[in-house]
Amino acid sequence: MTVAELLRQGVVVARIEWRGRARVNAVAFFGVTTLVLFSFAMGPDAVGTSAHAGAFLWLALLLSSVLALSESFRVETDNDALEGLRLLPVDPVSLFLGKAFVNAVLLVGLSAVLLPLAVALYGIEFKEGPLSVIGVAALGSFGIAAPGTVYAAVTARARAREVLLPILLFPLIVPVLLAAVKATALLVMGDPMGQVASWAKLLVAFDLIYWTLGALLFARVVEE
Amino acid sequence: MRRSTTLALGLVGLGLTATAHGLGLLWAPTDGHMGDVQRMMYVHVPWVWASLAAVTVSFVACIGYLWKGAWAWDLWAEASAEVGLVFTGMGLVTGMLWGRPTWGSYWTWDPRLTSYAVMFLLYGGYVALRRFIEDPERRATLAAVVGILAYVDVPVVYMSVRWWRGMHQVQSTPKTVDPDMKLCLRLAAIGMLFLMAYFMRRRAEIGRARLESELAPPPAAAPAGAEA
């Protein structure tokens, strides 16, 4: 199968996935609630909150991502829809690319909701311009979405999936979380030494590793 | 698996480790900087090395299972991951006991400590996942996928001291270490590897017994009321 064919099938899967975007509303509300809770927990300490805004933002995104990811596979297992999906003449790699891509796009969309809110709540400004923030948000979202999609598929067939998904996913994406938080913090606090690029490179490296491994391993997960 | 081989591995491991620890405590020279505290090295470093070896075995076994699909690979993947988890736990505890007198605190958010703790969590997740899937074939496949992804962290652990300079020292080379210290450390490390092999074989035996009972056909007709 050619790469073009794989990608074409991936687009089809992504379009089917896109129909389930209604779940985003609930997830977005959860993300907003989390962000507000962080500022309540910190109290009215303007210096502290702006220093930790990047961390709060990514934790809110990460916690919301678990909801979005597990939901994206609950709909497949509820009515044995996954069986039907497997009967389609679609390569599992395309299935992975389509699902993971839509999950990544949903996370980017979620960060587009959370970023302005963080600016308002924490009183921060992005000194390096909004484009670089969106870039870091996208790199981080793709880094969460790929392993998240694989693990959502894994835990969908296990008992206690709500507990298992975070305990499997959170430790795995610690490098992504670390790099994304560092890069975001630098963009908020200013980056005189030009360090953001090296964290962005680390994010790109982990994105490549996770998307490659996910594409390789996903077939075995849905076959089972 | 021969029981006598397993027992021999355990006895050799115990003998070597005990000898190395004894020599490390009483015979090896005292470190110039840290004093007697440095003797913790003969305990801490072998645990950590063996834990990394165990998760590497698990990684290979996970690939082997996905590739060949034989049950033996799954048994070894499970056994080595569990042993790796326990050894990582011991590596963390002994490291904290060493960190307190040398760095002044049990824990610092140093890159190596953090990534090693993350490794502990990753394999904890692997072991937890296996508990929540009943179907043996599904459990083996899904656990193998998770085992491969979890191993991504291990190179990060190894390289963390070089990538980000934290408090933890970088790997020593044998050239810069006193020959007597080197001997104790190597003896302890080899002994610990024997112990690791012993624990892994014992765990694989337990896994095999469990797998056989799971794959065995259910008993014909149980007498009424026996379920209660």
Side-chain angles (χ1 to χ4, degrees):
Chain A
M1 188 176 291
T2 61
V3 176
E5 180 70 3
L6 271 182
L7 289 179
R8 201 185 60 76
Q9 288 184 354
V11 171
V12 174
V13 175
R15 284 176 62 187
I16 298 170
E17 276 291 295
W18 188 241
R19 290 180 201 155
R21 64 188 177 279
R23 65 174 187 260
V24 181
N25 295 336
V27 175
F29 268 108
F30 178 81
V32 170
T33 311
T34 316
L35 212 52
V36 173
L37 280 181
F38 277 131
S39 52
F40 282 155
M42 279 294 286
D45 169 19
V47 183
T49 41
S50 68
H52 296 118
F56 295 157
L57 202 61
W58 279 100
L59 280 177
L61 205 61
L62 185 59
L63 294 173
S64 322
S65 78
V66 177
L67 292 186
L69 289 165
S70 63
E71 188 66 12
S72 94
F73 271 91
R74 195 191 53 74
V75 294
E76 304 293 3
T77 45
D78 266 6
N79 300 314
D80 284 331
L82 201 58
E83 298 295 317
L85 222 61
R86 276 170 45 203
L87 293 175
L88 291 175
V90 172
D91 196 272
V93 175
S94 310
L95 210 57
F96 168 74
L97 291 178
K99 269 195 170 291
F101 184 76
V102 168
N103 281 330
V105 170
L106 290 183
L107 287 181
V108 176
L110 191 60
S111 64
V113 174
L114 296 183
L115 275 170
L117 189 70
V119 169
L121 279 180
Y122 303 142
I124 52 174
E125 53 178 309
F126 293 108
K127 297 195 171 72
E128 310 291 325
L131 265 183
S132 49
V133 183
I134 294 167
V136 168
L139 286 177
S141 300
F142 275 81
I144 296 174
T149 304
V150 178
Y151 279 179
V154 166
T155 52
R157 345 296 286 298
R159 284 185 292 124
R161 57 176 101 141
E162 294 82 3
V163 187
L164 273 178
L165 181 58
I167 59 173
L168 289 178
L169 183 62
F170 288 177
L172 188 71
I173 55 169
V174 163
V176 170
L177 183 72
L178 218 98
V181 168
K182 285 276 184 190
T184 312
L186 284 170
L187 292 174
V188 171
M189 307 299 279
D191 179 26
M193 309 285 278
Q195 292 164 294
V196 172
S198 64
W199 290 109
K201 272 183 209 156
L202 194 67
L203 279 175
V204 172
F206 273 101
D207 283 2
L208 287 176
I209 293 171
Y210 289 149
W211 281 77
T212 314
L213 280 176
L216 285 174
L217 295 171
F218 193 71
R220 300 306 300 268
V221 178
V222 285
E223 267 169 28
E224 197 44 59
Chain B
M1 259 181 285
R2 295 260 305 274
R3 295 298 290 268
S4 52
T5 318
T6 311
L7 190 66
L9 282 171
L11 288 176
V12 170
L14 200 62
L16 277 177
T17 314
T19 311
H21 286 176
L23 287 176
L25 269 180
L26 303 170
W27 172 74
T30 310
D31 183 80
H33 292 293
M34 289 188 231
D36 283 333
V37 171
Q38 178 271 339
R39 295 177 195 278
M40 196 72 185
M41 176 179 81
Y42 310 118
V43 182
H44 169 66
V45 178
W47 278 115
V48 175
W49 280 349
S51 70
L52 291 172
V55 296
T56 306
V57 171
S58 179
F59 175 63
V60 172
C62 285
I63 293 177
Y65 180 79
L66 286 186
W67 193 12
K68 301 280 184 192
W71 284 115
W73 291 110
D74 180 53
L75 290 174
W76 280 98
E78 177 185 31
S80 48
E82 270 198 35
V83 171
L85 178 68
V86 174
F87 277 40
T88 308
M90 287 306 293
L92 281 172
V93 170
T94 52
M96 285 160 116
L97 292 179
W98 194 4
R100 175 74 189 177
T102 33
W103 298 335
S105 64
Y106 289 109
W107 190 259
T108 68
W109 291 105
D110 166 272
R112 166 154 278 191
L113 272 66
T114 311
S115 57
Y116 196 60
V118 169
M119 191 174 113
F120 181 76
L121 295 177
L122 282 167
Y123 283 89
Y126 173 91
V127 170
L129 175 76
R130 296 195 68 105
R131 297 284 180 281
F132 285 108
I133 307 174
E134 274 78 26
D135 178 38
E137 249 173 79
R138 175 177 289 181
R139 179 175 62 221
T141 309
L142 297 182
V145 169
V146 171
I148 291 171
L149 278 169
Y151 193 74
V152 171
D153 191 55
V154 176
V156 180
V157 174
Y158 187 78
M159 294 311 293
S160 55
V161 269
R162 286 163 190 264
W163 287 346
W164 302 286
R165 288 298 169 95
M167 266 166 115
H168 198 288
Q169 68 198 78
V170 296
Q171 292 91 342
S172 308
T173 61
K175 286 179 201 137
T176 60
V177 178
D178 184 277
D180 292 345
M181 289 183 175
K182 202 164 64 186
L183 178 74
C184 289
L185 181 60
R186 286 198 175 154
L187 265 185
I190 294 167
M192 200 58 86
L193 285 180
F194 272 96
L195 279 180
M196 178 194 87
Y198 166 76
F199 283 127
M200 269 157 56
R201 284 174 71 105
R202 290 289 291 155
R203 183 63 185 84
E205 278 169 26
I206 297 168
R208 182 178 298 278
R210 185 185 157 186
L211 188 66
E212 274 164 9
S213 74
E214 280 174 337
L215 293 177
E227 286 297 307

